[in-house]
Amino acid sequence: MSTRGSQMGTNPCRLRLALPGLRWLLGLGLFLGLQAVRSEAFYLPGLAPVNFCEAAAGKNAACKSSIPLFVNRLDSAESVLPYEYNTFDFCQASGKRNPSENLGQVLFGERITSSPYKFSFNKTETCRKVCVKSYDTENDNHMRKLAFLKKGMQLNYQHHWIIDNMPVIWCQDIEDGRKYCSPGFPIGCFITKTGVSKDACIIHSDFNKSNTFYLFNHIDITITYHKEKVKEIGVVRLVAARLDPQSYKHSDENNLTCSGPPMEISGENTEKLNITYTYSVRFEENKNIRWASRWDYILESMPHTNIQWFSIMNSFVIILFLSGMVAMILLRTLHRDIIRYNQINPEDIQEDFGWKLVHGDVFRPPKRRMLLSVFLGQGTQILIMTFVTLFLACLGFLSPANRGALMTCAVVLWILLGTPAGYVSARMYKTLKGVNWKTNFLLTALLCPGIVFVDLFIMNLILWVEGSSAAISFSTLIGILAMWFGISVPLTFLGAYFGSKKKFRCPVHTNQIPRHVPQQTFLTKPLFGIVIGGILPFGCIFIQLFFILNSIWSHQLYFMFGFLFLVFIILLITCSEATVLLCYFHLCAEDYHWWWRAFFTSSFTAVYLFMYAVHYFLTKLQITGIASIILYFGYMMVMVLIFFLFTGTTGFFSCFWFLIKIYSVVKVD
């Protein structure tokens, strides 16, 4: 050890921090950012285009003339409870055909089904009747359906329609000639008893009666196509679908004109009511938009790129600051300490000082080592799962076009990554001189996943009681349990078996008698360091976090996975550097209780995440109802737990590696 220490002590290059890696990170950020902004010639692998042609040529097997419209669940920004299309009293398809749903769609509560709206390519139709719904005030069943429809309009529930696997979007004109486009459109709108217009009623001047609901019972649909260079003449591919919801009273259902006064439903309806649903469709050619880039039109109203770049630059400033601090410590302070420790004659020195003073206690096992090793195993599993999922999403494999793929990939990866979880947990437990490796295996396989399962099960009960489409069926729950106990638990045992036979090598021996920790100042106490340590990582992600929460709770499309992957890498670097920095300061203060403190320093970012979730709930959302509030915080607690585990694991192993390196290059008598 002395020879190795003297070599390292006289060679500062060996301790040089990998600052050139920041150039690689900047280059990666530029590449991923450009990929998030432009995607002209690259489309999602695995999705084949569908060719369409007019009915006269529809007999050709290479193209289709019929264009089906599918409907998804209805959701609202004012309620966490989504409902299936058939839950509301809308027009139903005669022969229902439900596309197969993957695991991610089921867990997210997506329920795609066929609709009564059928189009033929390039066939324009005007004011076509779909169905008529009647409500008799003397029929209790009719009144319940009408009351539920009113509730949907009052809470601004949104339709989500799909044509050729594309969301049909609704665009509204806003200031500066720009448009705001949304992948959903409202059932209708409501004007309160005091005459306050809510939601879509604001943009319609003829919606002006108080205590009145206005139903959008007519839809104007515009389907845009592009002629591809294929052998068959007249073959096209759909590249966009837009709609404009309208409200018409339709006094005579046999003579429809789709004009006149809006479809009003009084808040205190006392007479029989007939609602006629209609639609118009037209087709237009676009020579500029190709099929491979057809999802770009959804981004027209999402000018978030500048904000995303601001977020990235903000994160880079934090990283440069931390990297400078770590470099200063490693290249100056720490290097100077090592040279001094290794070159001083042992006969001339009276007592060690600084971080070397605690070399005999720094690797002393902490309290609750079983729980720490379990957290580290689960954190490793989640960290690898998140990295691989975001990397695949960044490449386009998990884009919004492939519905449910993101969640499916994450769940499958978590199931298959039980082996590294068991291995890391058992090996760390062995390093901490634990002997009950079987108990460690059981806790690794069951503790954190069990907490998440119980939380989601309670949330699912609430959804089931409320009749929401997001409620997972009993058979799906059994399938998830089967994957957990049939695949993940055995893989965790396999990893734990091999991990229990090895342990991490510590460069110094531990004294038999623990050293007394001197009185610490306020700045060197654990709580202060933990609270400060979580601020910097959170500062790197809070802007990106806003878009993620918007995607989850405000039902907006999230598409900038390149930015998200880059921010994830920045988060890992920031957690590592902040933990190493604070760990060094505490060791210099002769406080060697670093194990849990290293984990909590970076994982405290999860506390700031929860505080931001509360702030987002109070300032950005309009959620009403006790069930929706419980669901919001129940799901956010799962997100906080996941964040807690993988950030804590990142900080811990960074600090662990740092201590192994610095104590392996000093001479210890």
Side-chain angles (χ1 to χ4, degrees), residues 100 127 136 138 232 338 382 384 394 432 604 630:
S100 58
C127 208
D136 190 348
E138 297 180 359
E232 294 81 4
I338 291 175
I382 294 172
I384 300 174
C394 177
L432 300 178
F604 203 79
I630 294 175

PDB file of all heavy atoms in Angstrom, residues 100 127 136 138 232 338 382 384 394 432 604 630:
ATOM      1  N   SER A 100     -56.482  -4.360 -29.950  1.00  0.00           N
ATOM      2  CA  SER A 100     -55.797  -4.982 -28.820  1.00  0.00           C
ATOM      3  C   SER A 100     -54.971  -3.934 -28.078  1.00  0.00           C
ATOM      4  O   SER A 100     -54.345  -3.059 -28.687  1.00  0.00           O
ATOM      5  CB  SER A 100     -54.876  -6.108 -29.311  1.00  0.00           C
ATOM      6  OG  SER A 100     -53.938  -5.606 -30.238  1.00  0.00           O
ATOM      7  N   CYS A 127     -73.110  17.528 -43.070  1.00  0.00           N
ATOM      8  CA  CYS A 127     -74.229  17.402 -42.130  1.00  0.00           C
ATOM      9  C   CYS A 127     -74.848  16.003 -42.174  1.00  0.00           C
ATOM     10  O   CYS A 127     -76.051  15.845 -42.366  1.00  0.00           O
ATOM     11  CB  CYS A 127     -75.281  18.479 -42.421  1.00  0.00           C
ATOM     12  SG  CYS A 127     -76.228  18.968 -40.955  1.00  0.00           S
ATOM     13  N   ASP A 136     -86.471  11.708 -21.730  1.00  0.00           N
ATOM     14  CA  ASP A 136     -87.809  11.963 -21.204  1.00  0.00           C
ATOM     15  C   ASP A 136     -87.692  12.261 -19.712  1.00  0.00           C
ATOM     16  O   ASP A 136     -87.075  11.493 -18.959  1.00  0.00           O
ATOM     17  CB  ASP A 136     -88.698  10.746 -21.450  1.00  0.00           C
ATOM     18  CG  ASP A 136     -90.169  11.030 -21.157  1.00  0.00           C
ATOM     19  OD1 ASP A 136     -90.463  12.089 -20.562  1.00  0.00           O
ATOM     20  OD2 ASP A 136     -91.015  10.190 -21.510  1.00  0.00           O
ATOM     21  N   GLU A 138     -89.753  11.950 -17.468  1.00  0.00           N
ATOM     22  CA  GLU A 138     -90.445  10.978 -16.625  1.00  0.00           C
ATOM     23  C   GLU A 138     -89.697   9.652 -16.535  1.00  0.00           C
ATOM     24  O   GLU A 138     -90.121   8.759 -15.814  1.00  0.00           O
ATOM     25  CB  GLU A 138     -91.860  10.743 -17.172  1.00  0.00           C
ATOM     26  CG  GLU A 138     -92.732  11.993 -17.140  1.00  0.00           C
ATOM     27  CD  GLU A 138     -94.127  11.741 -17.683  1.00  0.00           C
ATOM     28  OE1 GLU A 138     -94.382  10.587 -18.106  1.00  0.00           O
ATOM     29  OE2 GLU A 138     -94.946  12.666 -17.663  1.00  0.00           O
ATOM     30  N   GLU A 232     -48.811   2.110 -57.372  1.00  0.00           N
ATOM     31  CA  GLU A 232     -50.239   2.232 -57.609  1.00  0.00           C
ATOM     32  C   GLU A 232     -50.625   3.700 -57.747  1.00  0.00           C
ATOM     33  O   GLU A 232     -50.314   4.518 -56.891  1.00  0.00           O
ATOM     34  CB  GLU A 232     -51.045   1.587 -56.468  1.00  0.00           C
ATOM     35  CG  GLU A 232     -50.879   0.072 -56.360  1.00  0.00           C
ATOM     36  CD  GLU A 232     -49.606  -0.313 -55.620  1.00  0.00           C
ATOM     37  OE1 GLU A 232     -48.919   0.615 -55.148  1.00  0.00           O
ATOM     38  OE2 GLU A 232     -49.297  -1.513 -55.544  1.00  0.00           O
ATOM     39  N   ILE A 338      -2.864  14.302   0.195  1.00  0.00           N
ATOM     40  CA  ILE A 338      -2.267  12.987  -0.042  1.00  0.00           C
ATOM     41  C   ILE A 338      -0.750  13.082  -0.090  1.00  0.00           C
ATOM     42  O   ILE A 338      -0.038  12.239   0.469  1.00  0.00           O
ATOM     43  CB  ILE A 338      -2.833  12.385  -1.348  1.00  0.00           C
ATOM     44  CG1 ILE A 338      -4.314  12.033  -1.150  1.00  0.00           C
ATOM     45  CG2 ILE A 338      -2.054  11.155  -1.769  1.00  0.00           C
ATOM     46  CD1 ILE A 338      -5.005  11.556  -2.400  1.00  0.00           C
ATOM     47  N   ILE A 382     -34.195   0.423 -10.345  1.00  0.00           N
ATOM     48  CA  ILE A 382     -34.947   1.535 -10.928  1.00  0.00           C
ATOM     49  C   ILE A 382     -34.045   2.413 -11.786  1.00  0.00           C
ATOM     50  O   ILE A 382     -34.458   2.909 -12.845  1.00  0.00           O
ATOM     51  CB  ILE A 382     -35.613   2.354  -9.808  1.00  0.00           C
ATOM     52  CG1 ILE A 382     -36.681   1.513  -9.111  1.00  0.00           C
ATOM     53  CG2 ILE A 382     -36.226   3.641 -10.356  1.00  0.00           C
ATOM     54  CD1 ILE A 382     -37.264   2.153  -7.872  1.00  0.00           C
ATOM     55  N   ILE A 384     -31.318   1.556 -13.568  1.00  0.00           N
ATOM     56  CA  ILE A 384     -31.069   0.917 -14.866  1.00  0.00           C
ATOM     57  C   ILE A 384     -32.332   0.942 -15.718  1.00  0.00           C
ATOM     58  O   ILE A 384     -32.281   1.214 -16.926  1.00  0.00           O
ATOM     59  CB  ILE A 384     -30.566  -0.523 -14.662  1.00  0.00           C
ATOM     60  CG1 ILE A 384     -29.264  -0.529 -13.862  1.00  0.00           C
ATOM     61  CG2 ILE A 384     -30.358  -1.207 -16.005  1.00  0.00           C
ATOM     62  CD1 ILE A 384     -28.788  -1.926 -13.489  1.00  0.00           C
ATOM     63  N   CYS A 394     -35.607   8.077 -26.437  1.00  0.00           N
ATOM     64  CA  CYS A 394     -34.839   9.090 -27.144  1.00  0.00           C
ATOM     65  C   CYS A 394     -34.589   8.684 -28.591  1.00  0.00           C
ATOM     66  O   CYS A 394     -34.566   9.524 -29.495  1.00  0.00           O
ATOM     67  CB  CYS A 394     -33.518   9.309 -26.414  1.00  0.00           C
ATOM     68  SG  CYS A 394     -32.403  10.471 -27.196  1.00  0.00           S
ATOM     69  N   LEU A 432     -21.280  -4.944   4.596  1.00  0.00           N
ATOM     70  CA  LEU A 432     -21.605  -4.356   5.894  1.00  0.00           C
ATOM     71  C   LEU A 432     -21.666  -5.401   7.003  1.00  0.00           C
ATOM     72  O   LEU A 432     -22.232  -5.146   8.073  1.00  0.00           O
ATOM     73  CB  LEU A 432     -22.944  -3.611   5.803  1.00  0.00           C
ATOM     74  CG  LEU A 432     -22.996  -2.471   4.786  1.00  0.00           C
ATOM     75  CD1 LEU A 432     -24.383  -1.832   4.759  1.00  0.00           C
ATOM     76  CD2 LEU A 432     -21.948  -1.425   5.108  1.00  0.00           C
ATOM     77  N   PHE A 604     -32.823  13.473  -0.975  1.00  0.00           N
ATOM     78  CA  PHE A 604     -33.675  14.543  -0.459  1.00  0.00           C
ATOM     79  C   PHE A 604     -34.291  15.351  -1.597  1.00  0.00           C
ATOM     80  O   PHE A 604     -35.235  16.112  -1.390  1.00  0.00           O
ATOM     81  CB  PHE A 604     -32.873  15.467   0.468  1.00  0.00           C
ATOM     82  CG  PHE A 604     -33.720  16.232   1.449  1.00  0.00           C
ATOM     83  CD1 PHE A 604     -34.197  15.622   2.588  1.00  0.00           C
ATOM     84  CD2 PHE A 604     -34.052  17.554   1.219  1.00  0.00           C
ATOM     85  CE1 PHE A 604     -34.992  16.317   3.494  1.00  0.00           C
ATOM     86  CE2 PHE A 604     -34.844  18.266   2.115  1.00  0.00           C
ATOM     87  CZ  PHE A 604     -35.319  17.637   3.254  1.00  0.00           C
ATOM     88  N   ILE A 630     -57.275  12.382  -3.619  1.00  0.00           N
ATOM     89  CA  ILE A 630     -56.573  11.204  -3.093  1.00  0.00           C
ATOM     90  C   ILE A 630     -55.789  10.512  -4.196  1.00  0.00           C
ATOM     91  O   ILE A 630     -54.640  10.088  -4.004  1.00  0.00           O
ATOM     92  CB  ILE A 630     -57.585  10.233  -2.438  1.00  0.00           C
ATOM     93  CG1 ILE A 630     -58.207  10.876  -1.193  1.00  0.00           C
ATOM     94  CG2 ILE A 630     -56.906   8.920  -2.075  1.00  0.00           C
ATOM     95  CD1 ILE A 630     -59.305  10.037  -0.565  1.00  0.00           C
TER      96      ILE A 630
END
